[in-house]
Structures are given as structure tokens and as C-alpha cells.
């Protein structure tokens, strides 16, 4: 088992992605972003032992939601399950980590897209293609039907607090971030 428990000092964690939902962005695309930063991802927030792109990563017992992502000194990688996109973005907006955030490009009509655009320092747009994502066995998956963004957020971009509060309140719907 390659899972490594993280400590509060590490500031790390993960939300376990179940096998049937598991996938990862093909390594070549993450590496493009790392090369542009001249830095390697050190913590994978949403992973399992089969698809982790960095170690440490956590487990079911060590959730990314428990930690303040802004306290990391390391570069984070976040390729969350779709059902957690808005919650992840709210957490990024509030805690302001240094992070590479992988999201689908579903157009500007997404309620979270404007917040993402305002937080993003730069972005790599990856065209929709077969093999963009891999399953746990490393087998290429069919093209998803949309482009993908790998956005670098350096934690320095601020959003008007009222606008951010409204987004976060709508996003979390009574859940703790």
C-alpha cells in the first residue's frame, strides 16, 4: 500500500476517490504546467494509490477537507471529482493556496467559472482528445467531450469579499468546507 498518512505539519490530505470514479489526467499535461512553474507537484489532494501523481497523498481516513490548503508550503495538485468542483473552488478562494487545479472547460455559463477565472494567474488549455485521461490501469479513456484547464492559482489574487461570501454560501449549501 503506497498511501502515506499526512500530518497536520504537512498540511496535507485527500478525499478518497472510489475506484469506479477514478481517473487521472495524462502525465504529459501536468508536466507542462510543472515545467512552466519550474516546480514539481508535491501533494495530490484527490487521489488513491493507483492514480496518485505525488506522494504524500492521503486516504479515506485523512480527508483534504480537514486541512487549510493555504498553509501548505508545497505546490498542490487538485483534480477533483466533478461533484466536488464547486466546493474545491470555494476552499481555494477562501484559503488561497498555491495550486494547480484541473477542471473541465464547460464554458463561461458554469456558476463557478467566473470565480476560477479571477483567481487564476495563468492557465494551460488542453484540447479534447482521446487519452486526455487515464484509468487506474493507465489505459487511455475516450475523449471527454470538452477541453480541460490546468489553472495555476498562486494565492495572491483576491476577490471582493461580498462576492466571495455569496459564492461560498451558495456553494457549500450548509456544509462545512
Amino acid at each position: 500500500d503506497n498511501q502515506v498518512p499526512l500530518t497536520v505539519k504537512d498540511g496535507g490530505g485527500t478525499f478518497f476517490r472510489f475506484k469506479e470514479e477514478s481517473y487521472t489526467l495524462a502525465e504529459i499535461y501536468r508536466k507542462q504546467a510543472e515545467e512552466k512553474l519550474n516546480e514539481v507537484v508535491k501533494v495530490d489532494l484527490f487521489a488513491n494509490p493507483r492514480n496518485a501523481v505525488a506522494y504524500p497523498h492521503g486516504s479515506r481516513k485523512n480527508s483534504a477537507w480537514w486541512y487549510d490548503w493555504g498553509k501548505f508550503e508545497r505546490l498542490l495538485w487538485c483534480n477533483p471529482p466533478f461533484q466536488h468542483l464547486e466546493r474545491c473552488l470555494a476552499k481555494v478562494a477562501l484559503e488561497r493556496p498555491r495550486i494547480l487545479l484541473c477542471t473541465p472547460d464547460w464554458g463561461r455559463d458554469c456558476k463557478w467559472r467566473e470565480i476560477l477565472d479571477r483567481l487564476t494567474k495563468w492557465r494551460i488549455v488542453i484540447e479534447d482528445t482521446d487519452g486526455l485521461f487515464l484509468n487506474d490501469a493507465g489505459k487511455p479513456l475516450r475523449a471527454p467531450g470538452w477541453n480541460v484547464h490546468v489553472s495555476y492559482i498562486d494565492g495572491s489574487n483576491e476577490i471582493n469579499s461580498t462576492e466571495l461570501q455569496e459564492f461560498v454560501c451558495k456553494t457549500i449549501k450548509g456544509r462545512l468546507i
Side-chain angles (χ1 to χ4, degrees):
D1 184 31
N2 289 328
Q3 291 180 320
V4 177
L6 304 178
T7 65
V8 174
K9 181 181 175 193
D10 289 324
T14 192
F15 182 89
F16 191 83
R17 181 180 289 146
F18 295 102
K19 186 172 176 28
E20 62 271 16
E21 300 174 5
S22 189
Y23 59 91
T24 190
L25 184 70
E27 183 178 26
I28 187 171
Y29 303 114
R30 187 191 76 258
K31 286 189 177 262
Q32 284 177 6
E34 290 174 330
E35 286 173 12
K36 187 168 181 167
L37 277 172
N38 196 30
E39 185 174 2
V40 176
V41 167
K42 298 293 185 184
V43 177
D44 189 343
L45 294 173
F46 292 86
N48 68 46
R50 294 172 302 278
N51 72 6
V53 300
Y55 293 92
H57 69 86
S59 67
R60 290 182 191 166
K61 296 178 183 177
N62 194 19
S63 174
W65 305 119
W66 300 344
Y67 299 93
D68 180 341
W69 298 354
K71 297 219 186 279
F72 275 101
E73 293 181 12
R74 308 172 193 180
L75 179 63
L76 307 179
W77 172 254
C78 187
N79 183 8
F82 295 149
Q83 70 266 27
H84 297 300
L85 280 171
E86 289 179 7
R87 190 172 172 202
C88 276
L89 194 55
K91 191 162 176 67
V92 167
L94 289 170
E95 296 175 356
R96 299 172 41 194
R98 288 181 52 253
I99 192 167
L100 288 171
L101 180 60
C102 182
T103 60
D105 179 4
W106 289 335
R108 297 201 182 275
D109 292 337
C110 285
K111 53 187 166 183
W112 48 266
R113 176 64 185 270
E114 183 179 346
I115 298 291
L116 174 63
D117 288 348
R118 292 178 63 190
L119 290 170
T120 298
K121 184 162 183 139
W122 53 259
R123 167 179 295 142
I124 294 173
V125 178
I126 306 164
E127 297 293 322
D128 181 30
T129 186
D130 289 341
L132 182 61
F133 290 101
L134 310 174
N135 68 13
D136 282 344
K139 181 180 176 185
L141 300 175
R142 287 190 344 252
W146 56 78
N147 292 340
V148 171
H149 290 166
V150 175
S151 302
Y152 174 60
I153 300 167
D154 70 357
S156 67
N157 295 348
E158 293 190 37
I159 296 177
N160 171 292
S161 61
T162 303
E163 182 182 8
L164 178 58
Q165 282 180 338
E166 289 174 8
F167 173 75
V168 170
C169 287
K170 289 176 188 173
T171 299
I172 63 173
K173 301 174 189 161
R175 297 181 310 250
L176 292 176
I177 289 187

